[in-house]
Amino acid sequence: MKAAEKLRRARYTATTTPDVPRPRRTVTGQQARAEIARAKETDLAGRALPDLIPPRDPPADWARPRPSTAAGLRPGPVPRPSVSGDATGTAPASHTEE
């Protein structure tokens, strides 16, 4: 229990002048700027893996999108079922009295 309490306890940085207490693991603005500068200097293209193995095709029993029938053409809209009665679908039922 004492070890867990030690881990939960907030720790603050030591200072020699009166200042607002700062948690120990807080990153200062200067440290953040230095880290961002280091990240910008990194050549991401150089770190890319040129020999990356492409993923395998999915198993045959998985659902897949249908191939397009013609280049750039999409299938037409799906027809909606017609509603009997008026266009709003709020026609009175035939067995009710009005």
Side-chain angles (χ1 to χ4, degrees), residues 15-96:
T15 62
T16 57
T17 60
D19 198 6
V20 177
R22 273 191 239 143
R24 196 171 190 188
R25 292 193 172 107
T26 302
V27 178
T28 64
Q30 183 179 6
Q31 291 170 331
R33 284 189 291 277
E35 188 171 336
I36 291 171
R38 277 194 307 272
K40 285 182 179 179
E41 291 172 1
T42 305
D43 179 26
L44 296 179
R47 294 186 62 194
L49 303 174
D51 59 341
L52 182 65
I53 300 170
R56 296 182 296 160
D57 286 335
D61 59 335
W62 283 17
R64 297 183 188 183
R66 293 183 189 165
S68 63
T69 56
L73 296 179
R74 292 186 177 182
V78 177
R80 294 184 181 181
S82 62
V83 178
S84 61
D86 67 340
T88 61
T90 58
S94 60
H95 65 278
T96 61

